Amino acid sequence: AMAAKATEPEPFDDDEDLEPLEGSLKNLLEQKSLKWIFVGGKGGVGKTTTSCSLAVALAKVRKSVLIISTDPAHNLSDAFKQKIGKTSTKLNGFDNLYAMEIDPKLDIDVSGMDLSLGENKVSTDMLSSIPGIDEAMSFAELMKQVQQMDYEVIVFDTAPTGHTLRLLTFPKVLQQTFGKINDLKQKLGGLLTQFAGLLQQSGTTPDQLFDKIESAKKTIDVVNRQFQDPDATTFVCVAIPEFLSLFETERLVQALAKHEIDTHNIVVNQIHFLDKDCADCKKCQARWKMQKKYLDQIDELYEDFHVAKCPLLENEVRGKTGLEQFGKLLTTPRPE
């Protein structure tokens, strides 16, 4: 009887009439529990436009919104047409929307965090030989800053795909690294006490050093829990209807699944929908035919995603008005 039960199909397994999910990002405006929204994809697909427009739309429904760019090509300043720095800057024309641009190398000065032990190179070298420790500390520092800032929702405009995943998977990697540091501490206990004399001159004891690392680890653990909580964190993949971008999106979706980070929204930009102007244009028609092929694949691959399809526009999206208009496009389903 058990076996028969197991092979019985799910009641609506094959139900062709299931409503497809609404093709817009409106769900992100409605999910009030969200605290972190990452926006990422291959270079040149409209990530910054998407993340800025989403932030503008969110600012209408949430108490306070911060948009952070980790892309070295700092495009936020261009999108909002105002200078944005390393600290949170209020955006002109908004009461509750702020932006900051940070370096993906996360080079918040690590020595400023008293990791450098004065004259004593030995311990500094020992510590810095742990792979990624400086990045780790800076990431912890960045996250600490961000958490203290008390914005209701934070949008990350991430650097092209590779970096993003490093940033998001950082907490996991760090947990391993910090584990190693603790082993090291146990193994080198005696040795560290011998260093203590040297360290004394620089006013930092080995224990203080490990406390620093411990406190960074705590921040990282908190962040890791938040990143893996679908109520708090989600990732929006941005693509264009072309092979490479589709390929990259699939890689991204797989990687996010592997690290247990929620993603259920895809934005497809620069779609060459045909209108009456295109009737006699061979180029438009050819382009649409090619894009349509990829759009169909996207619909098929991502039926459990909200896929927002945005038309190729006649001008660049910049400044408050442009971003508001694009925000509307993103959050209103396109009439079929």
Side-chain angles (χ1 to χ4, degrees), residues 229-262:
D229 171 4
D231 290 332
T233 303
T234 190
F235 198 104
V236 179
C237 304
V238 186
I240 53 178
E242 287 176 16
F243 176 78
L244 272 179
S245 176
L246 188 59
F247 183 75
E248 189 76 357
T249 303
E250 182 51 25
R251 252 188 44 197
L252 190 54
V253 168
Q254 299 285 344
L256 291 167
K258 184 173 143 213
H259 293 284
E260 301 169 49
I261 292 163
D262 174 74

Side-chain angles (χ1 to χ4, degrees), residues 17 19 65 67 118 126 129 132 178 192 196 231 246 267 269 320 333:
D17 306 328
E19 275 293 286
V65 181
I67 177 162
M126 183 183 91
S129 66
F178 286 135
L192 283 173
D231 290 332
L246 188 59
V267 175
N269 279 327
K320 182 177 177 185

Side-chain angles (χ1 to χ4, degrees), residues 33 79 89 170 177 185 306 308 333:
S33 63
T89 313
F170 226 60
T177 307
K185 183 179 176 182
H306 293 272

Side-chain angles (χ1 to χ4, degrees), residues 13-198:
D13 219 16
D14 213 23
D15 190 350
E16 290 299 306
D17 306 328
L18 278 183
E19 275 293 286
L21 290 177
E22 175 178 276
S24 88
L25 301 188
K26 192 154 140 235
N27 63 90
L28 296 178
L29 303 183
E30 289 163 355
Q31 191 182 341
K32 295 285 194 270
S33 63
L34 279 176
K35 167 99 176 129
W36 314 86
I37 299 175
F38 289 85
V39 179
K42 198 168 80 64
V45 294
K47 281 189 304 295
T48 301
T49 304
T50 302
S51 53
C52 293
S53 303
L54 176 61
V56 167
L58 280 162
K60 292 188 176 12
V61 296
R62 300 289 291 266
K63 223 176 31 246
S64 56
V65 181
L66 170 70
I67 177 162
I68 297 184
S69 165
T70 56
D71 188 336
H74 295 325
N75 316 336
L76 293 189
S77 301
D78 302 334
F80 285 104
K81 295 187 180 169
Q82 85 180 73
K83 181 85 195 86
I84 291 163
K86 283 187 171 158
T87 51
S88 159
T89 313
K90 187 165 143 348
L91 293 168
N92 300 335
F94 298 95
D95 301 328
N96 61 344
L97 182 57
Y98 301 80
M100 62 193 272
E101 297 183 326
I102 51 172
D103 257 330
K105 286 208 297 294
L106 300 168
D107 57 355
I108 301 165
D109 183 17
V110 178
S111 57
M113 295 172 66
D114 301 336
L115 256 184
S116 69
L117 304 170
E119 298 309 299
N120 174 25
K121 285 300 291 159
V122 188
S123 316
T124 321
D125 288 349
M126 183 183 91
L127 254 180
S128 56
S129 66
I130 297 169
I133 185 73
D134 42 353
E135 259 187 301
M137 290 310 225
S138 335
F139 180 77
E141 188 59 16
L142 165 69
M143 282 307 167
K144 224 189 222 131
Q145 275 183 24
V146 168
Q147 292 197 304
Q148 285 162 357
M149 284 178 190
D150 198 40
Y151 292 96
E152 199 186 18
V153 60
I154 295 165
V155 179
F156 273 84
D157 174 41
T158 63
T161 320
H163 279 297
T164 310
L165 291 175
R166 285 223 357 247
L167 197 72
L168 278 171
T169 54
F170 226 60
K172 251 198 174 138
V173 176
L174 290 188
Q175 282 172 327
Q176 295 156 0
T177 307
F178 286 135
K180 288 193 189 108
I181 293 180
N182 272 333
D183 298 346
L184 202 68
K185 183 179 176 182
Q186 271 134 28
K187 286 195 189 106
L188 299 179
L191 198 60
L192 283 173
T193 332
Q194 289 166 21
F195 277 155
L198 291 170

Side-chain angles (χ1 to χ4, degrees), residues 173-231:
V173 176
L174 290 188
Q175 282 172 327
Q176 295 156 0
T177 307
F178 286 135
K180 288 193 189 108
I181 293 180
N182 272 333
D183 298 346
L184 202 68
K185 183 179 176 182
Q186 271 134 28
K187 286 195 189 106
L188 299 179
L191 198 60
L192 283 173
T193 332
Q194 289 166 21
F195 277 155
L198 291 170
L199 287 173
Q200 241 48 88
Q201 302 157 10
S202 68
T204 310
T205 65
D207 279 341
Q208 283 174 314
L209 197 60
F210 281 112
D211 288 347
K212 280 233 150 28
I213 293 174
E214 202 42 50
S215 100
K217 181 177 186 308
K218 283 204 179 70
T219 308
I220 300 280
D221 287 343
V222 171
V223 169
N224 201 20
R225 276 201 301 280
Q226 288 189 359
F227 279 2
Q228 294 185 337
D229 171 4
D231 290 332

